Amino acid sequence: MSPLVALVVGLALGGAVALTLVLGSRRTFNGSGPDAAAVPLPEAAMARRLLDLMDPAVLVVDADDAVLLANPAARALGIVRGTRLLVPELLELAHAVRGGGGRRTDVRLPGSLVGAGPRMMGVHGVRLDSGTAPPPGPVALVLEDVTEARRTEAVRRDFVANVGHELKTPVGALALLAEAIEGAADDPEAVQRFAGRIALEADRLGRLVRELIDLSRLQGGEPLPDLAPVPVDRVLAEAVDRTRTAARAKQLDIAVGGQQGLVVRGVESQLATAVTNLLANAVAYSTGKSRIAVAARARSGFAEIAVTDSGIGIPRQDRQRVFERFYRVDQSRASSTGGTGLGLAIVKHVASNHGGSVTVWSEEGLGSTFTLRIPLAAVPPPPAAPPGGEIVAADPGKGAA
């Protein structure tokens, strides 16, 4: 919670104490003396106004677990009905705070309650003790949505762990190969073989670093450049040219087809990288002499670029995860294909940054088709014809009458 929000919460809760004590006094004295509701309380009114305007949800719960106060943000979450608090975890937290002092924890609100996906709420519980109120006093619960923050933290932890693992593999291989060369100094053939392996591992390490940089840029590390009209034919030609050598090494043909002349709005270098990654993925997981097809077509305002192979295919349970960073369907093939596990993640972020999407169809043993959808550039309307429908060419030899 930010210091500014914390300050506002403190001020609001201070006023809420006064309001709560007034309500408690009304119940305790059962009407004896002047009615507190009839006495103007500027502090309590100001506190309630502040609570109503705050983004964090604020609840005040009495010793009987009845909700004395709930601001609109709390009621919008669906966690309060009348004077009842509907979340058992929040009631348990209120009990713990009442018995042991302030607590902070995360509470997961189910999607069926909040009316959307499940939300993770950071909850701060404090006792509203006062020298004039008998214990146990009411408890205030301040809830702030931390769903995105917790998701980002989890992604960051996984990312760091995966990067460490992926970097450790080629670095360890380089160290072992260096030792092998040192031990085989008198065997030129072995030295040459080990040197070739070092070159491969160094290339893999360099590719991993480049893709990590690309992914960091795509995920918001740098602003997306201005979108410009990009011919799809040029993107396909560039991607095929980058992949042709690897395809020939595996005796694979790359066939280009589909609709020509399509133009999208985007960043040409990023789009070429995305299609290259799809083609490289198709090459890596194709076996035997076969053909890879890449084709484009216009559909519903999008250019659809489909890359189809007849390779090993993707198991059903893995199809939704292939776009995750470092995820590989078959870890045992990682070293043989030389992949980093980042190529499809880069494709996904390129598509997202361009307002498009990427999908996959696959069947084990039959191959896969990855389809990248990018919005088409707006086509300028044709010039309007003069009244009467006849186009008249101007005669430069005649002036105005």
Side-chain angles (χ1 to χ4, degrees):
M1 186 180 299
S2 67
L4 179 59
V5 172
L7 176 61
V8 175
V9 171
L11 292 172
L13 290 181
V17 172
L19 178 62
T20 306
L21 291 177
V22 169
L23 294 174
S25 299
R26 289 173 58 191
R27 288 195 297 266
T28 302
F29 294 106
N30 195 22
S32 60
D35 188 352
V39 179
L41 292 176
E43 296 84 356
M46 183 183 299
R48 184 56 190 262
R49 180 62 176 162
L50 285 172
L51 289 174
D52 289 347
L53 295 175
M54 285 172 54
D55 287 334
V58 180
L59 301 167
V60 176
V61 183
D62 69 7
D64 299 324
D65 293 338
V67 176
L68 299 176
L69 182 148
N71 69 347
R75 296 194 178 275
L77 288 174
I79 60 177
V80 178
R81 182 176 300 163
T83 60
R84 290 178 52 221
L85 185 55
L86 304 180
V87 183
E89 291 84 354
L90 292 177
L91 287 174
E92 292 174 6
L93 176 62
H95 297 164
V97 170
R98 195 174 291 118
R103 300 285 178 90
R104 292 180 183 269
T105 188
D106 288 348
V107 173
R108 184 177 182 274
L109 302 182
S112 58
L113 185 65
V114 296
R119 311 300 296 172
M120 185 65 69
M121 308 300 295
V123 187
H124 182 198
V126 293
R127 289 191 304 187
L128 301 181
D129 292 332
S130 173
T132 59
V139 170
L141 301 177
V142 182
L143 294 80
E144 191 169 16
D145 193 338
V146 295
T147 306
E148 188 61 24
R150 297 296 181 264
R151 188 195 68 81
T152 302
E153 291 172 5
V155 169
R156 185 181 294 113
R157 285 195 302 270
D158 292 343
F159 183 71
V160 171
N162 287 328
V163 167
H165 174 75
E166 295 295 331
L167 289 175
K168 182 171 62 177
T169 301
V171 169
L174 289 172
L176 291 174
L177 289 167
E179 292 179 6
I181 287 179
E182 185 178 5
D186 299 331
D187 187 350
E189 184 177 346
V191 169
Q192 187 174 5
R193 185 172 66 254
F194 292 144
R197 287 293 303 167
I198 285 178
L200 289 175
E201 293 295 338
D203 180 71
R204 180 183 176 188
L205 183 59
R207 186 164 61 253
L208 175 60
V209 172
R210 288 194 301 273
E211 292 187 348
L212 285 171
I213 294 173
D214 289 342
L215 192 59
S216 175
R217 289 172 177 169
L218 290 170
Q219 288 182 311
E222 295 182 2
L224 186 69
D226 293 335
L227 302 183
V230 178
V232 174
D233 296 338
R234 199 160 66 199
V235 170
L236 298 186
E238 174 67 18
V240 170
D241 186 62
R242 294 183 189 179
T243 320
R244 184 175 287 115
T245 301
R248 286 175 177 171
K250 296 186 67 174
Q251 297 183 327
L252 299 170
D253 293 329
I254 300 179
V256 181
Q259 187 176 346
Q260 296 183 346
L262 300 179
V263 179
V264 297
R265 287 191 62 81
V267 181
E268 185 171 346
S269 60
Q270 291 188 10
L271 294 174
T273 297
V275 179
T276 299
N277 287 354
L278 292 178
L279 285 172
N281 191 72
V283 169
Y285 290 96
S286 293
T287 57
K289 295 181 179 180
S290 59
R291 172 173 292 187
I292 296 170
V294 55
R297 67 171 179 174
R299 184 178 183 184
S300 302
F302 287 82
E304 293 188 346
I305 302 172
V307 176
T308 302
D309 65 68
S310 53
I312 61 175
I314 304 171
R316 183 180 300 274
Q317 67 272 15
D318 295 307
R319 291 172 198 163
Q320 296 302 317
R321 300 194 60 191
V322 293
F323 298 104
E324 296 178 11
R325 292 171 298 184
F326 299 112
Y327 186 80
R328 297 187 180 93
V329 174
D330 187 356
Q331 292 288 344
S332 63
R333 291 176 57 90
S335 58
S336 61
T337 62
T340 62
L342 293 174
L344 293 180
I346 289 175
V347 175
K348 182 186 73 171
H349 285 287
V350 168
S352 176
N353 287 350
H354 285 75
S357 62
V358 60
T359 57
V360 59
W361 172 92
S362 187
E363 195 68 40
E364 289 186 84
L366 297 179
S368 306
T369 297
F370 286 85
T371 303
L372 177 65
R373 303 179 76 242
I374 302 296
L376 288 166
V379 179
E390 183 179 359
I391 299 177
V392 180
D395 186 346
K398 294 183 178 179

